[in-house]
Amino acid sequence: PIQRADFKGIFKAMKGLPVTVRLLDPPMHEFLPTASQLELEIAHLHHLRDTLKALEELPETLKLLIDRLELIDCPRGSVVFERGEVPDAMYVVADGRVVLWADDQRSVELTRLESGGVLGVVGVLSDDARPYTAVALDECKLLKLSRVAVTELIEREPEVLNALLQEVRERLVNALTSTHPMFTQLAPDERQDLVGRFRLLEAPAGAVLVTENWISPGLFLLLTGRASVIRGDREQRKLLGTLNSGAIFGEASLLSNWPAPTSVHCDTKC
């Protein structure tokens, strides 16, 4: 209808002679993305293909959790969770980057997580507060998995617990060595060497990690669980304190090469 007057003018000018009207395609180039936008889209599709391929190879128990994952968008600079908060979920970085801060002032950076990185694991494995603050460095997409779902997964496949702990072991030790007075005087390369020397130990409830009047077998960092500090034998046993996630013990006896003045017993699986 917009060109109706044009066609009338054409036919009037041609005075009855044959007229060929050719229909032209719309200028699609005006609506196409730029080359850089296409490159980003192609890269995203490749990543999506790899992600879907990885999902196909997951165990059945993990596949059952896919429908329980919640996709959340985090603007740049937004806080995923704060240090000291009560944890209710763990997260997987689907897109973007997240930085983890070990202190409240956000002056000690633990690490930066990119696509596939896992955060908030310790929180859902224990009742302790978040040990670090997580902040979105970019526009991020995160997959959120609730504490309940993680607990159900571990009950179905207990070996998943060790995999999760291995994921966070180095991060927690980094947090410890970056903020604990015992290690802050060490050079960065010395602290990194120390991180590599820690080994994952799984202890059942009731296990004795440090025995009173014996030299401590090592320096311990409690990842999950709860332990008691005890002095005396069974008849005169005295509870001196309780250790939770993030606690360090065994250092005094180890450094002095003297017998430990107390014992450390696991109240729960640690």
Side-chain angles (χ1 to χ4, degrees), residues 97-110:
R97 298 176 301 162
V98 175
V99 60
L100 305 183
W101 299 102
D103 59 337
D104 295 330
Q105 294 73 32
R106 302 184 189 178
S107 60
V108 180
E109 181 179 321
L110 286 180

Side-chain angles (χ1 to χ4, degrees), residues 178-241:
S178 299
T179 58
H180 198 284
M182 183 186 301
F183 307 111
T184 52
Q185 301 302 316
L186 296 176
D189 57 339
E190 292 176 324
R191 290 202 299 267
Q192 192 60 40
D193 178 65
L194 180 64
V195 170
R197 294 176 181 270
F198 276 86
R199 296 292 179 266
L200 184 65
L201 171 67
E202 185 176 352
V208 179
L209 300 176
V210 177
T211 304
E212 184 177 353
N213 296 323
W214 287 74
I215 296 177
S216 175
L219 171 68
F220 294 87
L221 169 62
L222 186 59
L223 295 182
T224 63
R226 186 180 69 253
S228 293
V229 181
I230 298 172
R231 176 174 291 167
D233 54 23
R234 293 183 179 179
E235 297 179 355
Q236 298 179 337
R237 178 175 294 184
K238 183 178 180 180
L239 177 64
L240 300 181

Side-chain angles (χ1 to χ4, degrees), residues 49-189:
R49 178 201 61 190
D50 295 339
T51 302
L52 291 174
K53 182 179 179 182
L55 290 176
E56 292 176 355
E57 298 172 356
L58 287 175
E60 289 302 318
T61 49
L62 285 178
K63 290 181 180 179
L64 293 175
L65 293 179
I66 292 176
D67 60 351
R68 303 182 66 175
L69 290 170
E70 177 186 355
L71 182 64
I72 60 176
D73 293 311
C74 296
R76 180 180 180 181
S78 62
V79 176
V80 181
F81 54 76
E82 289 275 8
R83 183 173 182 266
E85 285 183 354
V86 177
D88 62 347
M90 61 174 283
Y91 302 84
V92 180
V93 181
D95 192 25
R97 298 176 301 162
V98 175
V99 60
L100 305 183
W101 299 102
D103 59 337
D104 295 330
Q105 294 73 32
R106 302 184 189 178
S107 60
V108 180
E109 181 179 321
L110 286 180
T111 188
R112 298 188 179 195
L113 302 176
E114 299 183 349
S115 180
V118 180
L119 59 152
V121 174
V122 174
V124 298
L125 296 179
S126 68
D127 295 324
D128 301 313
R130 300 280 194 192
Y132 49 78
T133 295
V135 179
L137 275 177
D138 312 303
E139 297 286 333
C140 292
K141 292 185 181 296
L142 304 179
L143 293 172
K144 180 179 179 180
L145 187 61
S146 71
R147 176 202 289 266
V148 174
V150 175
T151 301
E152 292 176 357
L153 172 60
I154 292 175
E155 289 176 351
R156 292 175 182 174
E157 290 196 6
E159 66 274 10
V160 172
L161 175 61
N162 283 338
L164 292 175
L165 290 178
Q166 288 285 7
E167 170 72 26
V168 300
R169 175 188 66 86
E170 183 174 344
R171 191 181 307 156
L172 282 179
V173 177
N174 268 324
L176 169 69
T177 57
S178 299
T179 58
H180 198 284
M182 183 186 301
F183 307 111
T184 52
Q185 301 302 316
L186 296 176
D189 57 339

